[in-house]
Amino acid sequence: MKPGRTALTGALGLAPLAALAHGAIPGATPFYVGLLHPLLAPAHVLMLLALGLYLGRVDEPRKAVAIWALAAGLAIGGLLTVPLADPDTDRGLLPLALTCAVLVAADRTGPAALVATLCALSGLLVGLGSGDPGFAPWQRFLTIGGSVVGALLITGQLAFWGELLGRQPRLAHGTAIGQRILGGWLVAISLLMLVLGWLGPLTRSTG
């Protein structure tokens, strides 16, 4: 299969999951709905994958600040869902995912201010898109808490393993190549999803 077709297939495969981005998951408590939310919302999971790969290339001092910026953004975004309900954040998340993916593919990280800003904005938009207005207020906060944990787990694990493998002398070169290849695929998928977003709504809320 040609690379372009593979990327298109991946993007289109993510599209049906948009309908599951919000709303109750049968048998799941609000916290677990939030915990799984980053995996069910296409723009969210794409953003977090790109950000995790990106942070895996960042040195430890800047990474520590970045994780705190991400956590703060997630918390603030979650709180803002109370007055703002459920805005469409995908149009902001996809350009951010594209930016992170381009930096990974180009083997660049940028200054500390850029790293922290990308993390803060990503966290803000992920948190803002994680509060289901169909839930009661206390249930919504549980859902937001689950989303915060899920988002930090995804990005934290990718960043941790990327850094760990990159420190191994025998694996460093292969890890760097693998990260850049994955970054390239995420660039393609982000661009395709942006095009799909221009053609119609990116998400459809069931709440």
Side-chain angles (χ1 to χ4, degrees):
M1 183 178 290
K2 295 181 179 180
R5 292 182 180 178
T6 303
L8 178 60
T9 301
L12 293 176
L14 288 172
L17 293 177
L20 299 175
H22 300 285
I25 299 174
T29 64
F31 178 82
Y32 285 105
V33 170
L35 187 67
L36 295 173
H37 179 271
L39 296 175
L40 299 178
H44 287 214
V45 70
L46 188 64
M47 175 69 254
L48 295 173
L49 288 174
L51 186 62
L53 283 174
Y54 174 60
L55 291 179
R57 308 287 293 165
V58 174
D59 58 78
E60 193 61 36
R62 288 184 296 169
K63 187 179 300 179
V65 175
I67 293 297
W68 280 108
L70 175 62
L74 286 165
I76 294 171
L79 292 174
L80 288 176
T81 63
V82 177
L84 298 179
D86 185 20
D88 181 10
T89 57
D90 290 10
R91 298 183 189 280
L93 286 169
L94 290 176
L96 283 173
L98 178 60
T99 300
C100 291
V102 167
L103 288 169
V104 172
D107 195 21
R108 297 288 185 270
T109 56
L114 175 64
V115 180
T117 300
L118 287 173
C119 286
L121 289 176
S122 301
L124 182 68
L125 292 177
V126 170
L128 191 56
S130 298
D132 193 322
F135 285 147
W138 70 272
Q139 292 177 320
R140 189 183 302 180
F141 284 118
L142 287 175
T143 304
I144 293 167
S147 294
V148 170
V149 173
L152 289 175
L153 281 174
I154 293 172
T155 53
Q157 286 297 308
L158 281 172
F160 170 78
W161 286 107
E163 180 185 5
L164 181 66
L165 294 175
R167 286 181 176 179
Q168 308 302 315
R170 295 183 179 179
L171 300 176
H173 183 64
T175 298
I177 293 175
Q179 287 172 325
R180 297 184 69 178
I181 290 173
L182 289 174
W185 281 112
L186 291 179
V187 168
I189 294 172
S190 298
L191 287 172
L192 287 168
M193 290 186 68
L194 281 168
V195 172
L196 292 175
W198 292 333
L199 298 177
L202 286 171
T203 59
R204 182 180 62 216
S205 176
T206 60

